[in-house]
Amino acid sequence: MQTASTVLMVEPVAFGYNSQTAENNYFQIEQKDADTQTKALQEFNNFVAQLKSKGVNVITVKDTLEPHSPDSIFPNNWVSFHSDGKVVLYPMFAPNRRVERRTDILEILKDNGFEISEIDDLSHFENQEKFLEGTGSMIFDHDHKIAYGSVSLRLDEELFRQFCTKFGFRPVVFHSYQNAGSERLPIYHTNVMMCVADKFVVICLECIDDELEREKVQEVIKSSGKEIIEISEDQLQQFAGNMLQVQNNDGDKFLVMSESAYKSLAAEQISAIEKYCEIIHSDLNTIETNGGGSARCMLAEVFLPKSK
């Protein structure tokens, strides 16, 4: 099953610009003198309401003031929830993001009727300066057991390959870049440049600079039978790659994105997506600007089995 009908979202209490992640997240811009937390909370609540209005099951957990974790609104980086009951905890690049890992959140999922059979904690790799930031750094094609990973400081290739061996995924490793000032620098998370849905893939191919790698990625996507919907680097800068397909309890599917991502799309790209599913888009401007992440980053899919 490629799409989850339940997502976990973390409600911000002290959201703001994180200088530790800004070292290699070139999307972040600090909005000084702005009431960032108030605006982010409003965007968060509107986003949750939109998802729920379409019948998507949203479990919201409030962040804690202490320890302060300005990026807790992006839970998909520290945890993933799998259909066999496994939960994986990931090694995080920024020290102030490591405190986002909360076992009480796992208890909340159990209280909501989900089963957890095992917790696989990879966070000890932080001691070796090796990082693998969950479904930010890895994009899963669950149906075909393929994992796409763009190498960066937040995706250690060796760790990625180990993960794929352990969980039965075929790794597709490549390098993607973006223009940052006058430089061409690695994209910090794979999920800002590609999204894998059930029957299509939205991807920025032009940010894969190496021609052979670009061809390899295209071949793998085509062999999985999915249509490629290509976006430009300009659209990537508007978070058009940071999308996630979800479904409701009736099995209706939706592609979730921010308003800025939606507005950047051309009419033919929108119609290509809408051949397959409805689009949900929400204004996340404050969160995107200060946090450097968008709609997909805010959603941790819950594939865990339900208690009988």
Side-chain angles (χ1 to χ4, degrees):
M1 174 69 74
Q2 182 62 26
T3 50
S5 58
T6 299
V7 291
L8 169 77
M9 297 180 69
V10 177
E11 180 184 317
V13 296
F15 173 77
Y17 177 84
N18 186 348
S19 59
Q20 291 186 14
T21 55
E23 285 181 33
N24 51 37
N25 178 343
Y26 311 112
F27 291 87
Q28 285 177 249
I29 302 164
E30 186 173 11
Q31 286 181 313
K32 291 187 169 74
D33 306 320
D35 195 350
T36 308
Q37 163 59 23
T38 304
K39 290 176 181 172
L41 181 59
Q42 188 175 6
E43 291 174 1
F44 177 89
N45 288 334
N46 291 343
F47 188 22
V48 170
Q50 267 194 284
L51 291 167
K52 286 184 172 178
S53 74
K54 297 295 184 181
V56 179
N57 184 26
V58 182
I59 298 171
T60 58
V61 178
K62 212 179 184 85
D63 189 20
T64 54
L65 277 171
E66 291 296 329
H68 176 48
S69 49
D71 278 333
S72 58
I73 202 167
F74 306 131
N76 77 310
N77 301 141
W78 68 264
V79 68
S80 60
F81 307 103
H82 299 262
S83 57
D84 59 1
K86 280 192 184 133
V87 172
V88 185
L89 306 179
Y90 294 98
M92 306 285 285
F93 166 78
N96 68 1
R97 293 212 63 190
R98 297 169 192 174
V99 297
E100 292 174 33
R101 292 188 293 257
R102 288 169 50 189
T103 52
D104 65 306
I105 288 179
L106 308 186
E107 294 305 315
I108 289 166
L109 287 174
K110 288 182 190 173
D111 292 343
N112 276 271
F114 291 99
E115 277 185 18
I116 294 174
S117 60
E118 186 185 333
I119 297 171
D120 194 348
D121 188 351
L122 306 178
S123 62
H124 59 91
F125 283 104
E126 290 163 356
N127 301 326
Q128 301 173 38
E129 296 288 302
K130 289 183 176 180
F131 311 111
L132 186 67
E133 295 197 340
T135 55
S137 61
M138 298 181 287
I139 310 297
F140 297 132
D141 181 337
H142 292 283
D143 294 335
H144 298 91
K145 297 299 278 185
I146 299 166
Y148 297 90
S150 177
V151 177
S152 72
L153 281 173
R154 306 197 200 188
L155 181 137
D156 179 87
E157 183 177 343
E158 182 189 1
L159 202 49
F160 174 53
R161 290 186 183 278
Q162 285 175 19
F163 176 94
C164 289
T165 300
K166 189 172 190 177
F167 285 86
F169 285 94
R170 172 189 168 194
V172 179
V173 179
F174 59 96
H175 299 75
S176 60
Y177 300 89
Q178 69 185 107
N179 293 324
S182 59
E183 294 182 277
R184 192 88 172 137
L185 297 172
I187 286 176
Y188 80 105
H189 274 163
T190 316
N191 77 358
V192 295
M193 56 77 62
M194 75 180 295
C195 156
V196 174
D198 60 344
K199 294 176 178 163
F200 63 96
V201 173
V202 176
I203 185 168
C204 179
L205 289 168
E206 64 186 57
C207 68
I208 306 175
D209 290 355
D210 184 282
E211 201 174 321
L212 287 175
E213 287 189 347
R214 195 183 321 129
E215 285 172 6
K216 180 184 76 173
V217 170
Q218 287 181 87
E219 279 169 22
V220 173
I221 295 169
K222 285 173 183 168
S223 71
S224 71
K226 297 181 195 277
E227 180 183 349
I228 293 175
I229 300 172
E230 197 172 343
I231 58 169
S232 68
E233 279 193 44
D234 285 343
Q235 291 173 320
L236 174 144
Q237 292 292 341
Q238 301 302 314
F239 292 98
N242 197 244
M243 305 168 168
L244 180 69
Q245 191 182 42
V246 298
Q247 66 179 47
N248 61 20
N249 290 328
D250 296 329
D252 303 318
K253 294 187 172 70
F254 306 91
L255 191 65
V256 184
M257 65 187 74
S258 72
E259 191 175 289
S260 60
Y262 182 77
K263 284 180 174 174
S264 78
L265 296 176
E268 58 267 26
Q269 291 169 313
I270 291 170
S271 58
I273 292 164
E274 288 180 336
K275 268 192 321 197
Y276 300 106
C277 61
E278 188 181 331
I279 293 172
I280 297 174
H281 57 92
S282 193
D283 177 13
L284 303 172
N285 180 61
T286 304
I287 294 166
E288 288 176 327
T289 304
N290 293 275
S294 187
R296 195 277 167 264
C297 306
M298 296 170 68
L299 306 170
E301 301 148 283
V302 182
F303 288 105
L304 296 169
K306 279 289 193 121
S307 307
K308 293 184 175 60

